[in-house]
Amino acid sequence: MDLKTASALRRLRLVSAPEAVSFLVLLVCSVLKRTTDFDAVPVMGAIHGVLFVLYMLFWLDAWNRTKWSFGTAALYFVLSVLPTGGFFAERKLRRESENAVIAARAREEGIVNA
């Protein structure tokens, strides 16, 4: 795995958890808006919107660089629109990047010809 691909996966991984947190907080703010006088939806909506757009941009970049199958790319997309999906995406991306680093080191050392 080259440096740009690893960076693309890292960016996607780093934005996935904050995006999931912002989604959950936005849901809580929506409930509070309807049940109390507390209205933080405009602020949280903007924050979540920015994080979601960043996730989508980083997702497209990672898909382009890693040459994921359509199914893998669709999985990461679906995880982005589920309230807690970003946490699962972060975990899967961490494993994927760790495995890629291990494979790259093995190729460098001549252990495998992959």
Side-chain angles (χ1 to χ4, degrees), residues 25 27-41:
V25 172
L27 290 174
V28 169
C29 288
S30 296
V31 170
L32 289 175
K33 177 182 178 182
R34 284 157 180 75
T35 59
T36 67
D37 292 334
F38 184 73
D39 185 16
V41 172

Side-chain angles (χ1 to χ4, degrees), residues 12-61:
L12 181 60
R13 185 176 64 84
L14 289 177
V15 80
S16 64
E19 190 270 338
V21 169
S22 72
F23 193 6
L24 291 173
V25 172
L26 180 60
L27 290 174
V28 169
C29 288
S30 296
V31 170
L32 289 175
K33 177 182 178 182
R34 284 157 180 75
T35 59
T36 67
D37 292 334
F38 184 73
D39 185 16
V41 172
V43 174
M44 278 314 302
I47 292 169
H48 174 67
V50 168
L51 289 171
F52 183 75
V53 167
L54 283 174
Y55 184 96
M56 286 294 107
L57 291 173
F58 295 158
W59 170 74
L60 286 170
D61 185 39

Side-chain angles (χ1 to χ4, degrees), residues 8 13-14 16 24 41-42 44 47 53 69 72-73 75 81 88 91 93 96 98-100 104-105 108 111 113:
R13 185 176 64 84
L14 289 177
S16 64
L24 291 173
V41 172
M44 278 314 302
I47 292 169
V53 167
S69 67
T72 302
L75 172 68
V81 296
F88 295 106
R91 188 176 308 146
L93 287 164
E96 186 175 333
E98 288 171 354
N99 290 340
R105 287 182 181 161
E108 286 177 3
I111 296 172
N113 293 329

Side-chain angles (χ1 to χ4, degrees), residues 66-99:
T66 59
K67 307 299 185 219
W68 284 330
S69 67
F70 180 78
T72 302
L75 172 68
Y76 286 119
F77 176 80
V78 168
L79 288 175
S80 75
V81 296
L82 296 175
T84 58
F87 300 119
F88 295 106
E90 192 275 333
R91 188 176 308 146
K92 284 184 67 60
L93 287 164
R94 183 171 10 107
R95 281 191 212 127
E96 186 175 333
S97 63
E98 288 171 354
N99 290 340

